[in-house]
Amino acid sequence: MNNEPWIAESKLRCEKLGIDPCAVPSFSTFFSNAVLEQKRHEYEEILSVIDFFVHKMLELIKGHPLLIMISDENGCILEMAGDEAIKNVVQQSGIKVGLVFKENEAGTNSINLALQHRKPFQLVGGNHYYKFLEASACYSVPFQYTDISNLLGTITIMTTIDQHNSFLLAMLCTVVDSIERELLLKKQNRRLHILNQVVIETTRNGIIITDREGNITEYNKFAEIITNLKKQDVIQKPISDLQISQFIQEVLHTGVEYEDIELSITQKKQEEPLVCLFDAFPIHDENLQIMGAFAQFRDITERSKTEKQINHLAYHDDLTGLPNRRFFTQNLENLLESSEGNESLFAIMFLDLDSFKKINDNLGHNNGDTLLKLVAERLRNCCSPSNHIVSRMGGDEFTILLQEITGHNDAILVAEEVIEVFEAPFVIEEYEFYITASIGIAFYPHHGDDAETLMKHADIAMYMAKDAGKNNYSVFKAIKNNIGIEQLTLESSMRKALQNEEFVLHYQPQMDIETGEIIGTEALIRWNHPVLGLVPPAKFIPIAEENGLIVPIGEWVLRTACKQNQMWIEQGFIPMKISVNLSTRQFLKRNLIDNVKQILSETNHDPRYLELEITESMTMDVEYAVDVLGEMKKLGIQICIDDFGTGYSNLYYIKLFSIDRLKVEQSFVRDIMTDKNDADIVATIISMTHNLGIDVIAEGVETEDQLNFLRTLRCREAQGYYYHRPLPADQIEQLFTKCTGE
């Protein structure tokens, strides 16, 4: 992360303002006690969540002189706690709780930079504008409500420059990620305790000084603690009696300097060794001759433990303690590299729990998490050999890497053992239930010689096991039918598509036949698959309907379409309705109206300019349909029956549902010039809608003859390739501009 240009720009601004870098800043903006208390009250939940995670962080790095500062989104210091020495220094310069950081007063500083650019910043020594701060290192990371990207403030660590370590910024970023996730979960629910004051122990350094001959002349109490040797036992004695003698002798004889040499020191009555960083350099007299040596130990035992813990967290799943996706992928890459060119054989197994969603829905996510822990424990027990690596990839997906197997049967035996351990019931609180797993197996090198191919084939094999009835395993078999491979690829990767923002919307203009003007657009989803390219909805919507992902996908389409239409209105284009298709599952969700209201509120979209398209089959439950459509009408939303003429048409129900518009299905429009039956059907539908006072639009218009025929039937609205294909938003804007003559 290169923040140097932004730091340089800030310094240049400060110079132009005429700020004296050698002076002590004069701060003018402070919150009054009343305003500060009000601000703290507003941040009560935020501060309590920060306290929970920052406290954990500080527990991991005890022994470092750190000052923690929490600011709001305007740079006002809400909390300041930690090392008293650092706190006294900054308070003498006017930095205290209630101060509002401003660049024109505080100069170049990490808080203002982090707020301005919404990026983590570290300012070390001369990176600060004011000279008095050059002895310090500051690390600031902004935090926000991630669901709405609402900037909340910064968390800052300040320490002395000799304690500078980029690890502090990396760890602070990790902590902020955890804070943001917790804020999102607890945004409207629970409150935690207000941030407690944090006290960090002063760093203790062991100091040893020798004369020219290597005899110890100084030996402080911290050196005694670290080495378990008393001063009276070593003073005036040769350094050769200590572990560091080789380094000291090199310093005395060659003048070489040593810095940050990591040593492990075994102490009496201590189970774990002490980890220290050791420095040594020569002491010169006025003639620059070596007259002795200076050495110091810095106790980093806690920091070393923290680094190990952070490294563990980076490669292990928080919930189950199993290795995570990163660990699995890295080991797979290493295994592939070591196996290249020899006859090694290993296997990858993908495991997915069958019907896990039902557990979450019926017993709640807490019990679902408990189940995942129990599953992880069973997998760990039955795959205990050192050459078996069990990992959790996320959700209810697990992987097993079987290294150094002698044949395919080794992996099959493991799969059978895994299936068998799921035969025993799981017990959570008072519930006892059974759950099964489906397993896919891919072998190296038979099913691929790179990580991506092997993982994809194991994933496909797992879906084969599910298709074969679940509670079983399947070894990958190449499918000659490319359509079948594509189907499995789509199904296995669709779950990640929303998260990876792979879906896009195109918009097809709806036209006034008589004037040729655009009167609306229909939002149509496309999947920009990273491998297959742009996937049309006909290929993936049926899969989404089957696996239930159509609901979150449908909500994304509605939200994105409303947001886009509102942007067009705010850009000054003529307001017009946007049509969005509802899926059957989406329509039947009991919280549909609440979701629609929330999306309209989030996007500030006028419901008058929203049209929801439903199919006739969705209205088979008449009582439910009347209630839902009635609520939509109350909101001002327009309702359109899509693909009219292909379902169970009932004129009474159409009138009962207060439908605003019917859409003639494109299969009828396509053949109106060649098929008399289709022409009669279209004529009847248009005539009927006129009599009922309902608008009608024909879709799939591709030729001028079709358009002229529709015009003779007094059909006033149409959409289709004759006018325009579905287009990305930016191309639609060009059409709007062209139509308005701008």
Side-chain angles (χ1 to χ4, degrees):
M1 180 185 302
N2 182 15
N3 293 334
E4 294 298 328
W6 288 330
I7 295 174
E9 290 174 5
S10 172
K11 285 191 170 184
L12 183 60
R13 287 195 298 271
C14 293
E15 291 176 2
K16 290 182 178 179
L17 289 171
I19 301 174
D20 182 3
C22 297
V24 176
S26 177
F27 298 109
S28 62
T29 306
F30 292 87
F31 279 3
S32 66
N33 289 337
V35 174
L36 186 59
E37 285 305 312
Q38 176 63 28
K39 192 68 175 179
R40 282 175 172 159
H41 178 72
E42 294 173 1
Y43 270 57
E44 178 183 357
E45 182 182 58
I46 297 170
L47 292 176
S48 62
V49 171
I50 292 173
D51 171 53
F52 179 80
F53 286 98
V54 169
H55 181 72
K56 283 192 172 184
M57 176 186 71
L58 293 176
E59 284 295 320
L60 295 175
I61 55 174
K62 282 182 180 178
H64 290 267
L66 305 178
L67 182 66
I68 307 296
M69 292 188 289
I70 314 299
S71 84
D72 69 0
E73 76 282 7
N74 297 311
C76 174
I77 303 301
L78 301 178
E79 295 286 350
M80 186 165 64
D83 186 83
E84 292 298 327
I86 300 177
K87 185 189 292 186
N88 289 337
V89 171
V90 299
Q91 286 181 336
Q92 289 173 11
S93 67
I95 300 173
K96 60 183 180 180
V97 173
L99 168 66
V100 180
F101 263 79
K102 293 185 176 180
E103 189 180 67
N104 60 350
E105 295 179 344
T108 301
N109 64 88
S110 60
I111 292 178
N112 286 143
L113 287 168
L115 289 172
Q116 179 182 359
H117 298 287
R118 292 197 175 196
K119 300 284 186 183
F121 272 83
Q122 68 175 20
L123 265 65
V124 182
N127 285 338
H128 294 92
Y129 186 77
Y130 280 108
K131 299 291 185 182
F132 81 96
L133 288 174
E134 289 185 352
S136 66
C138 296
Y139 314 88
S140 292
V141 179
F143 63 98
Q144 62 183 357
Y145 281 127
T146 55
D147 56 336
I148 56 175
S149 298
N150 182 23
L151 185 63
L152 295 173
T154 64
I155 302 178
T156 298
I157 293 178
M158 185 175 185
T159 186
T160 55
I161 194 169
D162 63 316
Q163 294 294 323
H164 164 58
N165 193 325
S166 296
F167 164 77
L168 291 173
L169 182 62
M171 183 174 61
L172 186 56
C173 288
T174 300
V175 170
V176 167
D177 285 343
S178 298
I179 289 172
E180 289 179 339
R181 287 196 296 270
E182 189 69 14
L183 284 175
L184 190 60
L185 291 173
K186 299 179 180 297
K187 190 175 180 182
Q188 297 177 343
N189 300 330
R190 293 172 291 182
R191 294 289 188 266
L192 300 175
H193 297 293
I194 297 176
L195 182 66
N196 295 321
Q197 185 176 3
V198 181
V199 179
I200 303 174
E201 294 183 7
T202 304
T203 300
R204 300 179 298 174
N205 292 344
I207 304 299
I208 301 175
I209 299 178
T210 76
D211 60 17
R212 180 70 185 83
E213 285 70 37
N215 296 315
I216 297 173
T217 58
E218 292 293 340
Y219 202 83
N220 73 353
K221 64 178 181 179
F222 295 128
E224 291 183 323
I225 295 172
I226 290 172
T227 63
N228 274 331
L229 296 172
K230 296 297 183 181
K231 181 175 181 179
Q232 61 266 27
D233 296 332
V234 298
I235 202 74
Q236 297 303 326
K237 292 184 178 179
I239 196 71
S240 58
D241 293 343
L242 296 177
Q243 180 180 348
I244 59 171
S245 60
Q246 179 182 350
F247 298 111
I248 297 296
Q249 293 301 327
E250 288 289 332
V251 169
L252 293 172
H253 289 94
T254 67
V256 67
E257 296 183 1
Y258 291 99
E259 184 177 2
D260 294 339
I261 304 298
E262 186 170 318
L263 301 176
S264 179
I265 301 173
T266 303
Q267 294 183 304
K268 296 178 181 178
K269 299 180 181 180
Q270 297 292 332
E271 294 182 0
E272 296 184 2
L274 196 69
V275 181
C276 293
L277 288 181
F278 172 75
D279 305 323
F281 52 85
I283 302 173
H284 297 93
D285 59 18
E286 63 275 11
N287 298 318
L288 299 180
Q289 298 298 311
I290 295 176
M291 57 177 291
F294 175 91
Q296 78 169 349
F297 298 93
R298 284 174 284 139
D299 184 356
I300 63 163
T301 304
E302 293 302 319
R303 192 180 89 183
S304 179
K305 290 180 181 178
T306 299
E307 290 175 350
K308 291 178 181 177
Q309 291 174 5
I310 293 294
N311 186 62
H312 179 84
L313 290 174
Y315 288 95
H316 288 78
D317 175 51
D318 288 343
L319 179 65
T320 64
L322 290 175
N324 60 14
R325 178 185 292 271
R326 183 185 290 110
F327 185 97
F328 172 82
T329 304
Q330 189 173 97
N331 275 270
L332 177 57
E333 294 284 2
N334 292 339
L335 187 57
L336 284 166
E337 185 176 344
S338 63
S339 300
E340 188 175 356
N342 57 42
E343 297 181 358
S344 296
L345 177 67
F346 65 84
I348 293 176
M349 301 172 64
F350 267 40
L351 181 149
D352 186 86
L353 301 182
D354 299 326
S355 304
F356 177 71
K357 185 176 183 298
K358 293 180 181 178
I359 303 296
N360 271 340
D361 292 345
N362 294 319
L363 300 183
H365 287 277
N366 287 337
N367 284 328
D369 286 348
T370 301
L371 173 61
L372 290 173
K373 293 178 184 178
L374 295 175
V375 167
E377 186 62 27
R378 292 193 187 183
L379 292 176
R380 189 185 289 113
N381 290 337
C382 74
C383 299
S384 56
S386 59
N387 61 338
H388 293 177
I389 298 176
V390 180
S391 307
R392 182 184 178 215
M393 303 298 278
D396 61 337
E397 287 187 346
F398 297 83
T399 57
I400 304 172
L401 182 59
L402 305 178
Q403 308 173 86
E404 302 174 5
I405 60 176
T406 58
H408 290 191
N409 196 50
D410 290 353
I412 291 173
L413 289 175
V414 172
E416 290 175 345
E417 185 178 353
V418 171
I419 296 295
E420 184 178 347
V421 300
F422 278 84
E423 292 178 0
F426 289 89
V427 179
I428 300 177
E429 295 181 351
E430 71 274 19
Y431 303 106
E432 179 178 293
F433 53 88
Y434 293 85
I435 192 167
T436 59
S438 297
I439 302 173
I441 307 173
F443 291 99
Y444 170 88
H446 307 84
H447 300 143
D449 55 7
D450 62 86
E452 182 180 355
T453 302
L454 285 168
M455 291 173 69
K456 180 178 72 173
H457 287 168
D459 199 20
I460 290 174
M462 183 264 291
Y463 278 98
M464 289 177 173
K466 283 188 177 292
D467 290 342
K470 304 179 181 178
N471 190 27
N472 207 339
Y473 67 87
S474 177
V475 177
F476 175 76
K477 294 180 181 178
I479 303 174
K480 295 182 179 180
N481 183 351
N482 289 332
I483 296 177
I485 293 177
E486 184 176 82
Q487 177 94 354
L488 288 170
T489 301
L490 291 176
E491 186 169 353
S492 64
S493 59
M494 183 177 294
R495 297 180 184 276
K496 308 176 187 73
L498 262 179
Q499 178 183 347
N500 296 339
E501 299 181 355
E502 295 173 9
F503 290 114
V504 294
L505 287 187
H506 286 186
Y507 303 86
Q508 186 170 40
Q510 296 176 333
M511 313 296 293
D512 185 314
I513 290 178
E514 296 302 324
T515 65
E517 296 178 345
I518 300 174
I519 57 174
T521 59
E522 180 180 4
L524 299 168
I525 189 171
R526 301 290 185 267
W527 183 1
N528 193 11
H529 193 282
V531 177
L532 301 175
L534 206 60
V535 182
K539 283 190 176 181
F540 67 85
I541 289 297
I543 302 173
E545 287 275 10
E546 182 180 345
N547 61 24
L549 286 175
I550 193 65
V551 174
I553 290 174
E555 291 176 2
W556 177 86
V557 171
L558 181 57
R559 180 178 288 104
T560 305
C562 288
K563 183 178 180 180
Q564 180 61 66
N565 201 37
Q566 182 62 27
M567 288 175 58
W568 285 333
I569 293 173
E570 292 173 357
Q571 289 172 19
F573 295 117
I574 298 174
M576 61 183 68
K577 66 179 176 293
I578 191 165
S579 298
V580 178
N581 292 276
L582 290 181
S583 69
T584 301
R585 285 200 182 201
Q586 201 175 358
F587 184 75
L588 296 177
K589 291 284 286 185
R590 299 296 168 176
N591 62 348
L592 172 63
I593 298 300
D594 291 338
N595 284 341
V596 172
K597 287 180 180 178
Q598 181 179 351
I599 290 172
L600 289 172
S601 175
E602 288 177 7
T603 59
N604 198 30
H605 190 267
D606 191 332
R608 293 178 301 166
Y609 299 121
L610 174 62
E611 179 181 76
L612 296 179
E613 296 189 14
I614 63 173
T615 61
E616 295 172 75
S617 60
M618 294 183 193
T619 63
M620 295 301 292
D621 185 343
V622 177
E623 184 176 348
Y624 174 79
V626 168
D627 289 342
V628 172
L629 296 178
E631 289 296 321
M632 289 183 181
K633 295 295 291 184
K634 288 179 183 178
L635 293 175
I637 297 170
Q638 298 185 50
I639 306 298
C640 175
I641 296 287
D642 191 13
D643 295 343
F644 187 76
T646 62
Y648 306 95
S649 308
N650 187 307
L651 298 182
Y652 170 74
Y653 288 148
I654 290 175
K655 186 174 182 181
L656 181 64
F657 298 145
S658 300
I659 300 301
D660 297 287
R661 187 159 68 158
L662 297 181
K663 178 174 282 188
V664 181
E665 209 274 327
Q666 61 181 339
S667 63
F668 296 133
V669 175
R670 181 172 56 244
D671 297 328
I672 56 175
M673 305 308 299
T674 58
D675 190 316
K676 186 177 184 303
N677 290 331
D678 284 351
D680 290 341
I681 290 173
V682 172
T684 301
I685 293 173
I686 294 174
S687 175
M688 177 195 69
T689 57
H690 289 162
N691 293 332
L692 291 173
I694 298 173
D695 292 334
V696 63
I697 182 170
E699 67 174 344
V701 178
E702 298 181 352
T703 68
E704 186 174 2
D705 289 340
Q706 293 171 345
L707 182 65
N708 290 333
F709 183 80
L710 291 169
R711 185 181 285 115
T712 63
L713 298 175
R714 294 189 300 124
C715 178
R716 291 187 290 270
E717 300 174 8
Q719 69 183 87
Y721 284 12
Y722 176 77
Y723 289 109
H724 300 287
R725 294 173 176 269
L727 300 170
D730 57 341
Q731 295 184 33
I732 289 291
E733 291 174 10
Q734 295 175 15
L735 285 179
F736 289 164
T737 302
K738 182 178 180 181
C739 291
T740 56
E742 297 180 2

